[in-house]
Amino acid sequence: MNVVWRGKVLLPAGIAVAVVGGVAGLLLWAEVRLGGSVLLGVAGLPLLSFLAVFGNAAVLVAAAGALRGRPVGVRSGYGRVAGRWRALARWAPAGVVQVLSALLVVGLPWSLRNYLVVPAVLLDGVGVRAAMHGSREVYRRDTGAFLRGTTLLGLPFVVAFLPSVVLLLVGATAAERGPGALLMAGGGLLLWAGSSLTVGLFGVFRTRLYLESKGAAGPEPARSVLHVSPVE
């Protein structure tokens, strides 16, 4: 938790949640206006996936810096992620499958096996296929750590979800627009805060797991946190 607060991890997490949530809201609004456009839905899902992968990558950069004792600024962090956008874009379609499989529960093992793909691609410039192989090897060695982390770290979102939905529904059905708008804004803010904290915690856990898997965790003041030449 201290790494999230002090390591400049929460800000990129909040930005990622706001961007993905905002684009998802715009796509949903457009779907309603167009009467359910299949083309818009097909085009929107890869876009959301890429934005989610890109945003999470920025969180991983911040987490890697914090864990190594060298916090990374938000602007420089996004600059480093931009240097790897092609590799991240190649993973984005698989990221859709990863999220959907996790939501369906039955696909959770597949999702966890590929949990360290993005850190490997981003932090060490590993190819997607090699990153998938490496992630599965780590998962086989320490399945328990994957399961414990992914179970416990989602609590902030779980705690915030129900109250935020209640506030949004009450606000949407309120007789007066003013109080209704305030309730909806409060619900949206609560959902954003819970989601941002969860994304930040997941980012730190994911990065720590990857760094420890290659024996690279802990402060390292003498070297750059990210040693991928196209990014640096």
Side-chain angles (χ1 to χ4, degrees), residues 18 20 23 29 64 72 113 115 140 163 177 184 188 190 192:
V20 173
V23 173
W29 175 82
V72 180
R113 287 189 187 99
Y115 195 57
R140 276 194 286 267
R177 291 185 178 181
M184 292 183 68
L190 180 60
W192 171 79

Side-chain angles (χ1 to χ4, degrees), residues 67-80:
L67 290 170
R68 294 287 187 78
R70 300 177 63 181
V72 180
V74 175
R75 181 180 297 179
S76 60
Y78 273 100
R80 292 172 178 178

Side-chain angles (χ1 to χ4, degrees), residues 166-218:
V166 171
L167 288 173
L168 289 169
L169 290 176
V170 172
T173 57
E176 298 184 15
R177 291 185 178 181
L182 288 176
L183 287 171
M184 292 183 68
L189 184 61
L190 180 60
L191 185 60
W192 171 79
S195 301
S196 299
L197 183 55
T198 294
V199 169
L201 289 171
F202 271 120
V204 172
F205 170 74
R206 199 176 185 184
T207 305
R208 184 187 294 276
L209 202 61
Y210 174 72
L211 294 176
E212 288 179 349
S213 74
K214 55 193 286 274

Side-chain angles (χ1 to χ4, degrees), residues 18-46:
V19 170
V20 173
V23 173
L26 287 174
L27 289 172
L28 182 61
W29 175 82
E31 281 276 1
V32 173
R33 295 285 293 180
L34 296 174
S37 171
V38 176
L39 180 61
L40 184 61
V42 171
L45 194 57

Side-chain angles (χ1 to χ4, degrees), residues 68-127:
R68 294 287 187 78
R70 300 177 63 181
V72 180
V74 175
R75 181 180 297 179
S76 60
Y78 273 100
R80 292 172 178 178
V81 175
R84 297 292 295 163
W85 75 269
R86 290 182 178 85
L88 295 174
R90 286 196 292 272
W91 173 248
V96 175
V97 179
Q98 188 177 27
V99 172
L100 292 177
S101 65
L103 292 176
L104 292 173
V105 180
V106 293
L108 186 59
W110 184 90
S111 178
L112 289 175
R113 287 189 187 99
N114 294 287
Y115 195 57
L116 301 182
V117 170
V118 174
V121 169
L122 179 69
L123 302 182
D124 286 327
V126 179

